[in-house]
Amino acid sequence: MTLAVLARAPSARLHQAFITRASDSASSSTTGRSYKARLDVPRRQMVSAGAFALCCWGAAFPVCASLDRPTQRDPAVNCASSSSGAPASRQLDNQYDKYAAQYDQLDAGAAADAFGIPKLRRALIGAAYGQVLEVAIGTGINLPLYKRQQVQQLTGLDVSQGMLDEAQAKVQHEGLGLQISLRQGNVESLPFADDSFDCVVDTFSMCVFPNPLQALKEMARVLSPNGKLLLLEHSRSSSPVLGWYQDVTMPAVAAMGKGCRWNQDLSSLLAQAQLEPTKLQTSLAGVITLVEAQKM
């Protein structure tokens, strides 16, 4: 439903923008045939790019982690609360609490499967080891993907207690064979000491953090000197047409996609946070990027 609404509004503006641009460039033409030839190319580019970008957006719609169905033994689970949330995080807390029970249905499904999102999640989470922090864990969609033989302890943090309640209930019911601690807190002010974790993980949440740079700096702070930052995020495509399309549609996507700013410059954010990528893997023409990074 959301995808259909998005298709009606930004695509119409995009179509008009392409026509206007083509018309301006063709205004000096002396023949109608020359005008039409110039106009048809941008129209075809617009249709192809617009349709593809909308499909990418539909596949990339999950913006925060949430829980799928775990399948292993009951672990030891502890759910603690933190008072580190600021007014902005409390507002997010309230927003996510409202649909925590239905979040799994919003955050995954046939579209994500069709575009390979679960495969990307498995590849990212499979690289986690040692003491692991997953920020914006939501209801825990990544939990079944962690490898028990590699992970000593998993700490999950989220601003929404409602999300954490869903995660805790599912973990207790079906189990994962992991030592898990769930904690409420603000990613922009992490309640952990410096150099606390071997790996810090986030999937599809950078785009909704009020201050993504501060969030990255905090992730870097709690990461051990030889630790690994693991991200799977929305990113601005390097394709000029698709990148421009993301810029044009960002307000509509943010309005309909839980605040998701899908055109973020991920490489720039990493550099500003003093994080050096050791792996960058783009998917869907660069709309999604898998990152492994370490402190500079």
Side-chain angles (χ1 to χ4, degrees), residues 65-116:
S66 56
L67 177 65
D68 206 336
R69 290 182 289 274
T71 58
Q72 310 202 19
R73 297 192 309 272
D74 287 339
V77 177
N78 173 51
C79 188
S81 179
S82 171
S83 60
S84 60
S89 68
R90 292 192 199 103
Q91 184 178 6
L92 284 175
D93 183 354
N94 294 335
Q95 290 174 354
Y96 281 96
D97 281 351
K98 291 178 182 178
Y99 46 73
Q102 292 81 36
Y103 202 71
D104 290 357
Q105 300 169 23
L106 296 173
D107 205 42
D113 292 343
F115 283 90

mmCIF file of all heavy atoms in Angstrom, residues 65-116:
data_model
loop_
_atom_site.group_PDB
_atom_site.id
_atom_site.type_symbol
_atom_site.label_atom_id
_atom_site.label_comp_id
_atom_site.label_asym_id
_atom_site.label_seq_id
_atom_site.Cartn_x
_atom_site.Cartn_y
_atom_site.Cartn_z
ATOM 1 N N ALA A 65 16.130 -3.300 12.895
ATOM 2 C CA ALA A 65 16.129 -4.736 13.105
ATOM 3 C C ALA A 65 14.889 -5.143 13.882
ATOM 4 O O ALA A 65 14.445 -4.455 14.768
ATOM 5 C CB ALA A 65 17.370 -5.143 13.880
ATOM 6 N N SER A 66 14.332 -6.326 13.559
ATOM 7 C CA SER A 66 13.239 -6.893 14.341
ATOM 8 C C SER A 66 13.320 -8.406 14.268
ATOM 9 O O SER A 66 14.059 -8.960 13.481
ATOM 10 C CB SER A 66 11.890 -6.384 13.828
ATOM 11 O OG SER A 66 11.740 -6.661 12.469
ATOM 12 N N LEU A 67 12.575 -9.109 15.116
ATOM 13 C CA LEU A 67 12.802 -10.519 15.337
ATOM 14 C C LEU A 67 12.042 -11.408 14.375
ATOM 15 O O LEU A 67 10.866 -11.234 14.137
ATOM 16 C CB LEU A 67 12.415 -10.883 16.775
ATOM 17 C CG LEU A 67 12.523 -12.344 17.162
ATOM 18 C CD1 LEU A 67 13.970 -12.793 17.126
ATOM 19 C CD2 LEU A 67 11.940 -12.570 18.535
ATOM 20 N N ASP A 68 12.714 -12.408 13.842
ATOM 21 C CA ASP A 68 12.076 -13.476 13.100
ATOM 22 C C ASP A 68 11.849 -14.617 14.075
ATOM 23 O O ASP A 68 11.878 -14.432 15.275
ATOM 24 C CB ASP A 68 12.963 -13.887 11.919
ATOM 25 C CG ASP A 68 12.155 -14.481 10.780
ATOM 26 O OD1 ASP A 68 11.053 -14.985 11.037
ATOM 27 O OD2 ASP A 68 12.633 -14.426 9.643
ATOM 28 N N ARG A 69 11.661 -15.851 13.579
ATOM 29 C CA ARG A 69 11.368 -16.975 14.451
ATOM 30 C C ARG A 69 12.653 -17.709 14.830
ATOM 31 O O ARG A 69 13.237 -18.396 14.004
ATOM 32 C CB ARG A 69 10.389 -17.929 13.764
ATOM 33 C CG ARG A 69 9.010 -17.351 13.628
ATOM 34 C CD ARG A 69 8.070 -18.340 12.994
ATOM 35 N NE ARG A 69 8.371 -18.520 11.585
ATOM 36 C CZ ARG A 69 7.896 -17.744 10.631
ATOM 37 N NH1 ARG A 69 7.127 -16.736 10.936
ATOM 38 N NH2 ARG A 69 8.187 -17.961 9.368
ATOM 39 N N PRO A 70 13.120 -17.635 16.085
ATOM 40 C CA PRO A 70 14.282 -18.381 16.514
ATOM 41 C C PRO A 70 13.954 -19.856 16.644
ATOM 42 O O PRO A 70 12.797 -20.231 16.791
ATOM 43 C CB PRO A 70 14.630 -17.773 17.872
ATOM 44 C CG PRO A 70 13.359 -17.198 18.364
ATOM 45 C CD PRO A 70 12.581 -16.785 17.145
ATOM 46 N N THR A 71 14.992 -20.698 16.605
ATOM 47 C CA THR A 71 14.726 -22.127 16.538
ATOM 48 C C THR A 71 15.542 -22.963 17.524
ATOM 49 O O THR A 71 15.437 -24.183 17.505
ATOM 50 C CB THR A 71 15.056 -22.638 15.127
ATOM 51 O OG1 THR A 71 16.422 -22.342 14.830
ATOM 52 C CG2 THR A 71 14.165 -21.996 14.090
ATOM 53 N N GLN A 72 16.362 -22.334 18.381
ATOM 54 C CA GLN A 72 17.262 -23.144 19.172
ATOM 55 C C GLN A 72 16.927 -23.075 20.653
ATOM 56 O O GLN A 72 15.898 -22.575 21.057
ATOM 57 C CB GLN A 72 18.699 -22.711 18.881
ATOM 58 C CG GLN A 72 18.919 -22.664 17.368
ATOM 59 C CD GLN A 72 20.372 -22.771 16.992
ATOM 60 O OE1 GLN A 72 21.195 -23.210 17.770
ATOM 61 N NE2 GLN A 72 20.688 -22.389 15.780
ATOM 62 N N ARG A 73 17.824 -23.616 21.504
ATOM 63 C CA ARG A 73 17.549 -23.769 22.922
ATOM 64 C C ARG A 73 17.397 -22.434 23.630
ATOM 65 O O ARG A 73 17.911 -21.416 23.208
ATOM 66 C CB ARG A 73 18.673 -24.561 23.593
ATOM 67 C CG ARG A 73 18.835 -25.974 23.091
ATOM 68 C CD ARG A 73 19.762 -26.731 24.014
ATOM 69 N NE ARG A 73 21.000 -26.015 24.262
ATOM 70 C CZ ARG A 73 22.069 -26.131 23.492
ATOM 71 N NH1 ARG A 73 22.040 -26.904 22.434
ATOM 72 N NH2 ARG A 73 23.167 -25.465 23.792
ATOM 73 N N ASP A 74 16.714 -22.483 24.784
ATOM 74 C CA ASP A 74 16.535 -21.276 25.580
ATOM 75 C C ASP A 74 17.884 -20.798 26.109
ATOM 76 O O ASP A 74 18.618 -21.558 26.708
ATOM 77 C CB ASP A 74 15.623 -21.559 26.784
ATOM 78 C CG ASP A 74 14.184 -21.736 26.363
ATOM 79 O OD1 ASP A 74 13.828 -21.261 25.282
ATOM 80 O OD2 ASP A 74 13.443 -22.348 27.130
ATOM 81 N N PRO A 75 18.230 -19.522 25.892
ATOM 82 C CA PRO A 75 19.450 -18.960 26.474
ATOM 83 C C PRO A 75 19.137 -18.294 27.797
ATOM 84 O O PRO A 75 17.995 -18.193 28.209
ATOM 85 C CB PRO A 75 19.854 -17.903 25.445
ATOM 86 C CG PRO A 75 18.528 -17.397 24.959
ATOM 87 C CD PRO A 75 17.567 -18.578 25.018
ATOM 88 N N ALA A 76 20.174 -17.804 28.440
ATOM 89 C CA ALA A 76 19.953 -16.946 29.605
ATOM 90 C C ALA A 76 19.655 -15.560 29.086
ATOM 91 O O ALA A 76 20.410 -15.002 28.312
ATOM 92 C CB ALA A 76 21.208 -16.929 30.475
ATOM 93 N N VAL A 77 18.528 -14.988 29.486
ATOM 94 C CA VAL A 77 18.106 -13.687 28.969
ATOM 95 C C VAL A 77 17.936 -12.715 30.120
ATOM 96 O O VAL A 77 17.334 -13.036 31.132
ATOM 97 C CB VAL A 77 16.775 -13.816 28.190
ATOM 98 C CG1 VAL A 77 16.320 -12.453 27.718
ATOM 99 C CG2 VAL A 77 16.925 -14.765 27.033
ATOM 100 N N ASN A 78 18.480 -11.536 29.955
ATOM 101 C CA ASN A 78 18.306 -10.483 30.942
ATOM 102 C C ASN A 78 17.883 -9.217 30.222
ATOM 103 O O ASN A 78 18.491 -8.832 29.248
ATOM 104 C CB ASN A 78 19.623 -10.221 31.695
ATOM 105 C CG ASN A 78 19.524 -9.016 32.600
ATOM 106 O OD1 ASN A 78 18.593 -8.926 33.382
ATOM 107 N ND2 ASN A 78 20.473 -8.111 32.493
ATOM 108 N N CYS A 79 16.802 -8.598 30.687
ATOM 109 C CA CYS A 79 16.349 -7.353 30.070
ATOM 110 C C CYS A 79 16.444 -6.242 31.093
ATOM 111 O O CYS A 79 15.697 -6.225 32.059
ATOM 112 C CB CYS A 79 14.905 -7.491 29.576
ATOM 113 S SG CYS A 79 14.351 -6.103 28.601
ATOM 114 N N ALA A 80 17.394 -5.324 30.892
ATOM 115 C CA ALA A 80 17.624 -4.214 31.817
ATOM 116 C C ALA A 80 17.158 -2.925 31.194
ATOM 117 O O ALA A 80 16.994 -2.826 29.988
ATOM 118 C CB ALA A 80 19.115 -4.126 32.166
ATOM 119 N N SER A 81 16.960 -1.915 32.024
ATOM 120 C CA SER A 81 16.509 -0.619 31.539
ATOM 121 C C SER A 81 17.568 0.427 31.803
ATOM 122 O O SER A 81 18.284 0.366 32.796
ATOM 123 C CB SER A 81 15.206 -0.219 32.236
ATOM 124 O OG SER A 81 14.780 1.044 31.794
ATOM 125 N N SER A 82 17.667 1.408 30.888
ATOM 126 C CA SER A 82 18.633 2.491 31.027
ATOM 127 C C SER A 82 17.903 3.815 31.020
ATOM 128 O O SER A 82 16.891 3.980 30.359
ATOM 129 C CB SER A 82 19.642 2.457 29.872
ATOM 130 O OG SER A 82 20.451 3.602 29.867
ATOM 131 N N SER A 83 18.436 4.772 31.744
ATOM 132 C CA SER A 83 17.815 6.105 31.805
ATOM 133 C C SER A 83 18.506 7.080 30.873
ATOM 134 O O SER A 83 18.381 8.285 31.027
ATOM 135 C CB SER A 83 17.883 6.638 33.247
ATOM 136 O OG SER A 83 19.234 6.744 33.661
ATOM 137 N N SER A 84 19.237 6.553 29.869
ATOM 138 C CA SER A 84 20.044 7.436 29.025
ATOM 139 C C SER A 84 19.252 8.101 27.914
ATOM 140 O O SER A 84 19.793 8.893 27.161
ATOM 141 C CB SER A 84 21.199 6.651 28.413
ATOM 142 O OG SER A 84 20.706 5.596 27.622
ATOM 143 N N GLY A 85 17.965 7.774 27.768
ATOM 144 C CA GLY A 85 17.203 8.316 26.655
ATOM 145 C C GLY A 85 16.934 9.799 26.809
ATOM 146 O O GLY A 85 16.541 10.277 27.861
ATOM 147 N N ALA A 86 17.103 10.550 25.727
ATOM 148 C CA ALA A 86 16.794 11.971 25.688
ATOM 149 C C ALA A 86 15.372 12.153 25.192
ATOM 150 O O ALA A 86 14.738 11.194 24.774
ATOM 151 C CB ALA A 86 17.792 12.673 24.771
ATOM 152 N N PRO A 87 14.824 13.403 25.203
ATOM 153 C CA PRO A 87 13.459 13.602 24.700
ATOM 154 C C PRO A 87 13.246 13.058 23.302
ATOM 155 O O PRO A 87 12.202 12.473 23.011
ATOM 156 C CB PRO A 87 13.322 15.129 24.747
ATOM 157 C CG PRO A 87 14.202 15.547 25.882
ATOM 158 C CD PRO A 87 15.378 14.603 25.838
ATOM 159 N N ALA A 88 14.230 13.225 22.404
ATOM 160 C CA ALA A 88 14.059 12.721 21.047
ATOM 161 C C ALA A 88 13.938 11.213 21.043
ATOM 162 O O ALA A 88 13.127 10.641 20.313
ATOM 163 C CB ALA A 88 15.242 13.158 20.176
ATOM 164 N N SER A 89 14.741 10.548 21.875
ATOM 165 C CA SER A 89 14.681 9.093 21.908
ATOM 166 C C SER A 89 13.382 8.621 22.552
ATOM 167 O O SER A 89 12.852 7.573 22.200
ATOM 168 C CB SER A 89 15.890 8.528 22.659
ATOM 169 O OG SER A 89 15.832 8.844 24.023
ATOM 170 N N ARG A 90 12.854 9.397 23.517
ATOM 171 C CA ARG A 90 11.568 9.012 24.106
ATOM 172 C C ARG A 90 10.448 9.111 23.085
ATOM 173 O O ARG A 90 9.514 8.305 23.088
ATOM 174 C CB ARG A 90 11.267 9.924 25.306
ATOM 175 C CG ARG A 90 12.200 9.727 26.483
ATOM 176 C CD ARG A 90 11.679 10.427 27.728
ATOM 177 N NE ARG A 90 12.752 10.604 28.693
ATOM 178 C CZ ARG A 90 13.388 11.740 28.907
ATOM 179 N NH1 ARG A 90 13.055 12.816 28.203
ATOM 180 N NH2 ARG A 90 14.347 11.827 29.804
ATOM 181 N N GLN A 91 10.544 10.111 22.201
ATOM 182 C CA GLN A 91 9.542 10.227 21.147
ATOM 183 C C GLN A 91 9.612 9.020 20.214
ATOM 184 O O GLN A 91 8.589 8.448 19.841
ATOM 185 C CB GLN A 91 9.766 11.518 20.361
ATOM 186 C CG GLN A 91 8.696 11.774 19.306
ATOM 187 C CD GLN A 91 8.918 13.076 18.574
ATOM 188 O OE1 GLN A 91 9.922 13.748 18.768
ATOM 189 N NE2 GLN A 91 7.983 13.439 17.722
ATOM 190 N N LEU A 92 10.844 8.624 19.835
ATOM 191 C CA LEU A 92 11.000 7.424 19.018
ATOM 192 C C LEU A 92 10.498 6.199 19.757
ATOM 193 O O LEU A 92 9.857 5.322 19.170
ATOM 194 C CB LEU A 92 12.478 7.239 18.644
ATOM 195 C CG LEU A 92 13.036 8.137 17.553
ATOM 196 C CD1 LEU A 92 14.529 7.891 17.399
ATOM 197 C CD2 LEU A 92 12.320 7.901 16.228
ATOM 198 N N ASP A 93 10.807 6.126 21.048
ATOM 199 C CA ASP A 93 10.353 5.019 21.885
ATOM 200 C C ASP A 93 8.839 4.870 21.765
ATOM 201 O O ASP A 93 8.316 3.774 21.506
ATOM 202 C CB ASP A 93 10.756 5.308 23.332
ATOM 203 C CG ASP A 93 10.405 4.179 24.285
ATOM 204 O OD1 ASP A 93 9.756 3.223 23.861
ATOM 205 O OD2 ASP A 93 10.795 4.261 25.455
ATOM 206 N N ASN A 94 8.124 5.976 21.941
ATOM 207 C CA ASN A 94 6.667 5.937 21.877
ATOM 208 C C ASN A 94 6.168 5.520 20.503
ATOM 209 O O ASN A 94 5.204 4.759 20.374
ATOM 210 C CB ASN A 94 6.098 7.311 22.240
ATOM 211 C CG ASN A 94 6.363 7.691 23.683
ATOM 212 O OD1 ASN A 94 6.538 6.817 24.530
ATOM 213 N ND2 ASN A 94 6.411 8.986 23.965
ATOM 214 N N GLN A 95 6.834 6.010 19.445
ATOM 215 C CA GLN A 95 6.410 5.672 18.093
ATOM 216 C C GLN A 95 6.557 4.175 17.826
ATOM 217 O O GLN A 95 5.656 3.530 17.292
ATOM 218 C CB GLN A 95 7.229 6.468 17.079
ATOM 219 C CG GLN A 95 6.913 7.954 17.068
ATOM 220 C CD GLN A 95 7.847 8.735 16.166
ATOM 221 O OE1 GLN A 95 8.808 8.193 15.628
ATOM 222 N NE2 GLN A 95 7.580 10.018 16.008
ATOM 223 N N TYR A 96 7.698 3.631 18.204
ATOM 224 C CA TYR A 96 7.934 2.212 17.933
ATOM 225 C C TYR A 96 7.144 1.310 18.872
ATOM 226 O O TYR A 96 6.762 0.197 18.495
ATOM 227 C CB TYR A 96 9.427 1.906 18.008
ATOM 228 C CG TYR A 96 10.158 2.326 16.761
ATOM 229 C CD1 TYR A 96 10.808 3.555 16.701
ATOM 230 C CD2 TYR A 96 10.180 1.526 15.629
ATOM 231 C CE1 TYR A 96 11.462 3.964 15.546
ATOM 232 C CE2 TYR A 96 10.825 1.925 14.480
ATOM 233 C CZ TYR A 96 11.471 3.149 14.451
ATOM 234 O OH TYR A 96 12.113 3.558 13.303
ATOM 235 N N ASP A 97 6.873 1.763 20.085
ATOM 236 C CA ASP A 97 6.045 0.981 20.992
ATOM 237 C C ASP A 97 4.671 0.707 20.391
ATOM 238 O O ASP A 97 4.093 -0.359 20.600
ATOM 239 C CB ASP A 97 5.864 1.728 22.320
ATOM 240 C CG ASP A 97 7.073 1.596 23.234
ATOM 241 O OD1 ASP A 97 7.979 0.799 22.911
ATOM 242 O OD2 ASP A 97 7.115 2.305 24.259
ATOM 243 N N LYS A 98 4.152 1.671 19.635
ATOM 244 C CA LYS A 98 2.791 1.572 19.116
ATOM 245 C C LYS A 98 2.600 0.382 18.183
ATOM 246 O O LYS A 98 1.532 -0.208 18.127
ATOM 247 C CB LYS A 98 2.405 2.865 18.396
ATOM 248 C CG LYS A 98 2.231 4.064 19.322
ATOM 249 C CD LYS A 98 1.906 5.326 18.541
ATOM 250 C CE LYS A 98 1.772 6.535 19.451
ATOM 251 N NZ LYS A 98 1.504 7.788 18.690
ATOM 252 N N TYR A 99 3.640 0.068 17.393
ATOM 253 C CA TYR A 99 3.469 -1.055 16.471
ATOM 254 C C TYR A 99 4.500 -2.145 16.668
ATOM 255 O O TYR A 99 4.831 -2.892 15.753
ATOM 256 C CB TYR A 99 3.460 -0.586 15.016
ATOM 257 C CG TYR A 99 4.540 0.388 14.614
ATOM 258 C CD1 TYR A 99 5.873 -0.008 14.452
ATOM 259 C CD2 TYR A 99 4.219 1.714 14.364
ATOM 260 C CE1 TYR A 99 6.843 0.888 14.069
ATOM 261 C CE2 TYR A 99 5.195 2.618 13.990
ATOM 262 C CZ TYR A 99 6.501 2.206 13.829
ATOM 263 O OH TYR A 99 7.465 3.089 13.444
ATOM 264 N N ALA A 100 5.005 -2.284 17.891
ATOM 265 C CA ALA A 100 5.995 -3.325 18.181
ATOM 266 C C ALA A 100 5.453 -4.720 17.875
ATOM 267 O O ALA A 100 6.148 -5.566 17.313
ATOM 268 C CB ALA A 100 6.444 -3.232 19.641
ATOM 269 N N ALA A 101 4.185 -4.957 18.241
ATOM 270 C CA ALA A 101 3.616 -6.290 18.058
ATOM 271 C C ALA A 101 3.457 -6.672 16.595
ATOM 272 O O ALA A 101 3.453 -7.855 16.245
ATOM 273 C CB ALA A 101 2.257 -6.374 18.758
ATOM 274 N N GLN A 102 3.321 -5.679 15.712
ATOM 275 C CA GLN A 102 3.152 -5.957 14.285
ATOM 276 C C GLN A 102 4.426 -5.691 13.482
ATOM 277 O O GLN A 102 4.420 -5.763 12.253
ATOM 278 C CB GLN A 102 2.028 -5.080 13.699
ATOM 279 C CG GLN A 102 0.627 -5.419 14.209
ATOM 280 C CD GLN A 102 0.357 -4.805 15.569
ATOM 281 O OE1 GLN A 102 0.807 -3.717 15.853
ATOM 282 N NE2 GLN A 102 -0.365 -5.536 16.410
ATOM 283 N N TYR A 103 5.537 -5.404 14.164
ATOM 284 C CA TYR A 103 6.721 -4.918 13.463
ATOM 285 C C TYR A 103 7.341 -5.958 12.537
ATOM 286 O O TYR A 103 7.877 -5.615 11.486
ATOM 287 C CB TYR A 103 7.763 -4.445 14.471
ATOM 288 C CG TYR A 103 8.752 -3.480 13.878
ATOM 289 C CD1 TYR A 103 8.361 -2.194 13.553
ATOM 290 C CD2 TYR A 103 10.076 -3.845 13.644
ATOM 291 C CE1 TYR A 103 9.243 -1.282 13.013
ATOM 292 C CE2 TYR A 103 10.970 -2.945 13.106
ATOM 293 C CZ TYR A 103 10.561 -1.672 12.790
ATOM 294 O OH TYR A 103 11.440 -0.781 12.246
ATOM 295 N N ASP A 104 7.261 -7.222 12.916
ATOM 296 C CA ASP A 104 7.829 -8.262 12.056
ATOM 297 C C ASP A 104 7.196 -8.237 10.672
ATOM 298 O O ASP A 104 7.863 -8.421 9.662
ATOM 299 C CB ASP A 104 7.613 -9.646 12.668
ATOM 300 C CG ASP A 104 8.463 -9.855 13.910
ATOM 301 O OD1 ASP A 104 9.252 -8.950 14.247
ATOM 302 O OD2 ASP A 104 8.314 -10.904 14.540
ATOM 303 N N GLN A 105 5.891 -7.999 10.631
ATOM 304 C CA GLN A 105 5.190 -7.988 9.354
ATOM 305 C C GLN A 105 5.571 -6.766 8.521
ATOM 306 O O GLN A 105 5.583 -6.828 7.290
ATOM 307 C CB GLN A 105 3.675 -8.006 9.589
ATOM 308 C CG GLN A 105 3.203 -9.237 10.369
ATOM 309 C CD GLN A 105 1.762 -9.108 10.817
ATOM 310 O OE1 GLN A 105 0.990 -8.355 10.233
ATOM 311 N NE2 GLN A 105 1.401 -9.844 11.855
ATOM 312 N N LEU A 106 5.905 -5.653 9.187
ATOM 313 C CA LEU A 106 6.291 -4.442 8.470
ATOM 314 C C LEU A 106 7.722 -4.516 7.961
ATOM 315 O O LEU A 106 8.057 -3.949 6.921
ATOM 316 C CB LEU A 106 6.159 -3.222 9.393
ATOM 317 C CG LEU A 106 4.767 -2.865 9.904
ATOM 318 C CD1 LEU A 106 4.882 -1.735 10.924
ATOM 319 C CD2 LEU A 106 3.855 -2.464 8.765
ATOM 320 N N ASP A 107 8.576 -5.222 8.698
ATOM 321 C CA ASP A 107 10.008 -5.125 8.482
ATOM 322 C C ASP A 107 10.582 -6.204 7.586
ATOM 323 O O ASP A 107 11.750 -6.150 7.223
ATOM 324 C CB ASP A 107 10.724 -5.158 9.828
ATOM 325 C CG ASP A 107 12.070 -4.470 9.773
ATOM 326 O OD1 ASP A 107 12.147 -3.402 9.155
ATOM 327 O OD2 ASP A 107 13.024 -5.004 10.338
ATOM 328 N N ALA A 108 9.821 -7.187 7.240
ATOM 329 C CA ALA A 108 10.315 -8.270 6.386
ATOM 330 C C ALA A 108 9.137 -8.820 5.597
ATOM 331 O O ALA A 108 7.998 -8.477 5.817
ATOM 332 C CB ALA A 108 10.961 -9.363 7.240
ATOM 333 N N GLY A 109 9.411 -9.688 4.660
ATOM 334 C CA GLY A 109 8.345 -10.263 3.863
ATOM 335 C C GLY A 109 8.807 -10.608 2.473
ATOM 336 O O GLY A 109 10.005 -10.724 2.188
ATOM 337 N N ALA A 110 7.843 -10.771 1.559
ATOM 338 C CA ALA A 110 8.138 -11.240 0.215
ATOM 339 C C ALA A 110 9.039 -10.292 -0.555
ATOM 340 O O ALA A 110 9.928 -10.714 -1.291
ATOM 341 C CB ALA A 110 6.826 -11.455 -0.542
ATOM 342 N N ALA A 111 8.822 -8.980 -0.388
ATOM 343 C CA ALA A 111 9.643 -8.017 -1.121
ATOM 344 C C ALA A 111 11.101 -8.109 -0.696
ATOM 345 O O ALA A 111 12.013 -8.129 -1.522
ATOM 346 C CB ALA A 111 9.117 -6.597 -0.900
ATOM 347 N N ALA A 112 11.326 -8.173 0.617
ATOM 348 C CA ALA A 112 12.695 -8.290 1.119
ATOM 349 C C ALA A 112 13.334 -9.590 0.627
ATOM 350 O O ALA A 112 14.504 -9.604 0.216
ATOM 351 C CB ALA A 112 12.697 -8.236 2.642
ATOM 352 N N ASP A 113 12.587 -10.674 0.651
ATOM 353 C CA ASP A 113 13.109 -11.959 0.168
ATOM 354 C C ASP A 113 13.479 -11.880 -1.307
ATOM 355 O O ASP A 113 14.532 -12.367 -1.728
ATOM 356 C CB ASP A 113 12.067 -13.064 0.378
ATOM 357 C CG ASP A 113 11.835 -13.369 1.856
ATOM 358 O OD1 ASP A 113 12.689 -12.979 2.678
ATOM 359 O OD2 ASP A 113 10.801 -13.986 2.175
ATOM 360 N N ALA A 114 12.610 -11.251 -2.099
ATOM 361 C CA ALA A 114 12.830 -11.197 -3.550
ATOM 362 C C ALA A 114 14.093 -10.430 -3.906
ATOM 363 O O ALA A 114 14.757 -10.739 -4.901
ATOM 364 C CB ALA A 114 11.618 -10.563 -4.234
ATOM 365 N N PHE A 115 14.446 -9.442 -3.106
ATOM 366 C CA PHE A 115 15.618 -8.626 -3.396
ATOM 367 C C PHE A 115 16.862 -9.042 -2.610
ATOM 368 O O PHE A 115 17.853 -8.322 -2.584
ATOM 369 C CB PHE A 115 15.304 -7.153 -3.156
ATOM 370 C CG PHE A 115 14.484 -6.549 -4.257
ATOM 371 C CD1 PHE A 115 13.100 -6.575 -4.194
ATOM 372 C CD2 PHE A 115 15.081 -5.978 -5.364
ATOM 373 C CE1 PHE A 115 12.329 -6.027 -5.209
ATOM 374 C CE2 PHE A 115 14.316 -5.433 -6.379
ATOM 375 C CZ PHE A 115 12.934 -5.457 -6.309
ATOM 376 N N GLY A 116 16.796 -10.205 -1.963
ATOM 377 C CA GLY A 116 17.984 -10.761 -1.336
ATOM 378 C C GLY A 116 18.378 -10.166 -0.013
ATOM 379 O O GLY A 116 19.526 -10.325 0.422
#
